[in-house]
Amino acid sequence: MSGLQYKAPGSIGGYLLRHHMTPGERASTASLQSRTFVNRRQTRTLSGSRRHRAEQGTGKRMMSDVRHRHAQPRGVVPIRFAPATVFLVVIVVFTAIMRVASSGHSLWFDELASVFFASQPVARLWSAWMLRETNPPLFYTVLHGWTALAGLSEVALRLPGILASLAAMAIVHTGIRSHYGHRAAVIATLLMAASAQQFYFAVQARSYMPLFLAISVSFFGAVGLVQPGPAQRRAWIAFVGGALVGIYLHTTALLWPAAVTIALMLVDRRYVPLLGDRWRHLLLADVLVLSGSLWWMWITVHQMRSPEGNIGWIGHPKAIEVATTFATGTLLAHEPHGWDWLGLVATGAAAVFGVARTWRNSATRLALACYVLSALFFLVANARQPIIIDRTVFWLSLFNIILAAAGLASIRVRRVRWLAPAVVISLLMPNLAHMILNLQVEDWRTPVVSLARQPGAILVVNGEAVSVAVRMACAVDLRMPRCPFPVVTLVTSGPQLDAWGIGSATPLAQPVPPGPVFLFRRWCHDPYKLLQTAGMLAGTTPPTSDFSGPYPYSILTEIPSRTIADHGLLRVATAGPCV
């Protein structure tokens, strides 16, 4: 081809040229010839010499285009990335690396509970045995299969949450881009990457980040139902599927179907019963969600009737405490201190600005309605049983992310359109840095590793759940199914907090041989105070750290005379469960 000269389409040379062309080249030449025909129509009024020069120039351009196409390897399409896309990919990859690199610290009590439930047979997790646990079995089931593949380590146990956080960023980016544009989607992704709250729950071996992902899928499915589009079936599947998965990830997701159903009715009258033409579809979707969640609703009702529970430690908060929890729990911050509040305020202001600027967008009205209604349902449920803490309201932060991104993306002033998002993201960064430096909630690794290295050491704990958590810490940090040191479990005479551990602590089958005694405490489970209640450790200095000792072995010889032995446990008469 490169040695051939261009011939007019109707000439013999043109025929021979086409005969030696590949099909793709003939198609390209045909397209170029059609453009030549148009150019010839435009040059009919020109003089002969000028018309000849015009046709000759067109032929040279055609041959240049054909040669260029011939020089490109077949099937290769050049890929070009916009600078904003490259920047976004770099940020997401950096966020993933940071979260994985920051996930090696010691597991804490709740995460060790996840390890315990993940170690149970799957059939047991999906039975009435789960009456002991307030969290549904889906996350534990996933973790059960994951640990069978990846093993027990801090990073491996936290990797599902990290992957869920990255998937949530992708879902939110895709959903916002569809309804607010690419710029809003980029801003939302950057907000999630800079959020201390997102980072904190991503590196937790708990169900909070998978729940955020499930609610995101369900919400953007609902958005697809109020905006025109061809993918209505996929929107219904996302709406119902995300709601069901969320319910089996965390009990608070039972509030979501009611909130989003009412929100759909408020935003789109087509879903209002007897007035619209789609309310039957919505009713069917709610029936599917209700039917699918009946088993866990039955478990929840029975748990509410139980005098012993796992969330009895949550007190009835005051109004100011509720407002603070909703602010910190839904505005991308985590335990803000000092200047950290500026990022929280900036995010809230951006969300309010987004409501005002994009009110005509049905996605905005739906996000606002879902946030307000979900918060109201939390308040109603909290009146019966206190449930409002930062981790339970975390999934409500989705709506503020959407509204804040929409507001910041709606700014049209050239000098401000990227400055405003940069300021909000910068104000979130100090809280993120502070959180990364203080990620460890409780240190369970140090006690089990130290005791394993000290021959004859004895550990005393308060509560069966703490005893189980110590055994799980040995499994994770020592790679041993049982701790290599004896664990003496003290329990209160009345109801226990963290009832999920009742009956699962390892009992003492024989007298403990002499050795140094250590105590390990956490919040409401303090063996030092419990021993003092029984009249022991008088005159000793209260410990200043969670792991204390050694104490003389004589305290263990006094315990049997001051406690009641019960199936390998030692019960101490107390006035309440929190000691």
Side-chain angles (χ1 to χ4, degrees), residues 110-130:
D110 284 16
E111 292 178 296
L112 292 168
S114 295
V115 178
F116 169 70
F117 284 102
S119 67
Q120 304 302 314
V122 174
R124 178 179 290 179
L125 293 176
W126 294 88
S127 69
W129 183 82
M130 286 296 288

Side-chain angles (χ1 to χ4, degrees), residues 99 340 495 566:
R99 292 179 181 181
D340 295 347
D566 184 7

Side-chain angles (χ1 to χ4, degrees), residues 255 258-264 266 368-379 396:
L255 305 176
V260 69
T261 295
I262 298 176
L264 281 171
L266 293 175
L368 179 62
C370 286
Y371 178 79
V372 173
L373 290 167
S374 298
L376 289 176
F377 287 144
F378 261 98
L379 293 174
L396 274 70

Side-chain angles (χ1 to χ4, degrees), residues 29-39 62:
T29 305
S31 175
L32 294 171
Q33 289 171 354
S34 64
R35 297 195 332 236
T36 304
F37 177 74
V38 174
N39 291 336
M62 288 176 60

Side-chain angles (χ1 to χ4, degrees), residues 502-514:
I502 294 178
S504 299
T506 303
L508 288 175
Q510 57 186 4
V512 180

Side-chain angles (χ1 to χ4, degrees), residues 98 101-103 105 196 199-200 203 334-335 337 340 429-442:
M98 283 294 298
S102 303
S103 60
H105 56 282
F199 196 111
Y200 177 77
V203 295
H334 178 71
E335 297 181 356
H337 301 278
D340 295 347
M429 296 300 290
N431 186 222
L432 175 63
H434 181 268
M435 186 275 306
I436 293 176
L437 296 175
N438 298 273
L439 262 177
Q440 184 162 283
V441 180
E442 298 168 349

Side-chain angles (χ1 to χ4, degrees), residues 61-80:
R61 286 195 299 271
M62 288 176 60
M63 281 306 303
S64 177
D65 291 344
V66 171
R67 289 172 181 173
H68 177 72
R69 286 176 172 80
H70 185 69
Q72 292 290 336
R74 296 179 184 177
V76 176
V77 178
I79 301 176
R80 297 181 178 87

Side-chain angles (χ1 to χ4, degrees), residues 82-368:
T85 303
V86 175
F87 173 73
L88 189 65
V89 170
V90 170
I91 291 297
V92 172
V93 171
F94 178 75
T95 301
I97 293 174
M98 283 294 298
R99 292 179 181 181
V100 174
S102 303
S103 60
H105 56 282
S106 173
L107 301 175
W108 70 293
F109 181 71
D110 284 16
E111 292 178 296
L112 292 168
S114 295
V115 178
F116 169 70
F117 284 102
S119 67
Q120 304 302 314
V122 174
R124 178 179 290 179
L125 293 176
W126 294 88
S127 69
W129 183 82
M130 286 296 288
L131 282 166
R132 65 178 57 228
E133 168 63 340
T134 51
N135 293 304
L138 181 57
F139 178 74
Y140 302 137
T141 304
V142 173
L143 201 60
H144 176 93
W146 173 253
T147 53
L149 297 174
L152 289 176
S153 69
E154 286 84 356
V155 176
L157 289 164
R158 288 168 171 145
L159 198 55
I162 295 173
L163 294 176
S165 72
L166 299 177
M169 293 174 75
I171 292 295
V172 172
H173 181 276
T174 303
I176 292 182
R177 185 182 60 189
S178 300
H179 304 292
Y180 293 99
H182 177 71
R183 187 163 173 269
V186 171
I187 294 173
T189 306
L190 294 177
L191 287 173
M192 295 176 71
S195 167
Q197 181 190 58
Q198 287 279 323
F199 196 111
Y200 177 77
F201 288 112
V203 295
Q204 292 274 313
R206 299 294 287 170
S207 62
Y208 306 118
M209 186 55 72
L211 171 64
F212 182 92
L213 171 61
I215 297 299
S216 300
V217 171
S218 183
F219 171 77
F220 284 111
V223 174
L225 300 178
V226 299
Q227 292 195 347
Q232 289 291 304
R233 179 175 297 181
R234 284 185 295 176
W236 283 112
I237 293 174
F239 173 71
V240 174
L244 269 176
V245 171
I247 289 171
Y248 280 97
L249 285 170
H250 201 271
T251 306
T252 57
L254 287 169
L255 305 176
W256 168 246
V260 69
T261 295
I262 298 176
L264 281 171
M265 295 179 186
L266 293 175
V267 172
D268 192 337
R269 62 175 300 168
R270 293 177 300 173
Y271 295 101
V272 178
L274 304 179
L275 296 180
D277 57 351
R278 289 193 176 183
W279 66 272
R280 294 181 181 86
H281 300 78
L282 182 59
L283 177 62
L284 177 60
D286 287 337
V287 169
L288 290 174
V289 174
L290 178 64
S291 302
S293 58
L294 277 177
W295 175 71
W296 189 249
M297 293 176 66
W298 176 83
I299 294 283
T300 302
V301 170
H302 281 73
Q303 287 174 343
M304 298 291 287
R305 296 175 179 175
S306 175
E308 301 176 354
N310 298 320
I311 56 175
W313 58 271
I314 305 178
H316 288 276
K318 299 178 181 179
I320 186 63
E321 295 173 336
V322 171
T324 302
T325 301
F326 270 107
T328 59
T330 65
L331 289 174
L332 309 186
H334 178 71
E335 297 181 356
H337 301 278
W339 294 103
D340 295 347
W341 283 90
L342 290 178
L344 184 147
V345 172
T347 306
V352 173
F353 182 72
V355 172
R357 290 280 293 179
T358 63
W359 179 253
R360 294 184 177 180
N361 192 324
S362 57
T364 296
R365 300 195 300 274
L366 188 65
L368 179 62

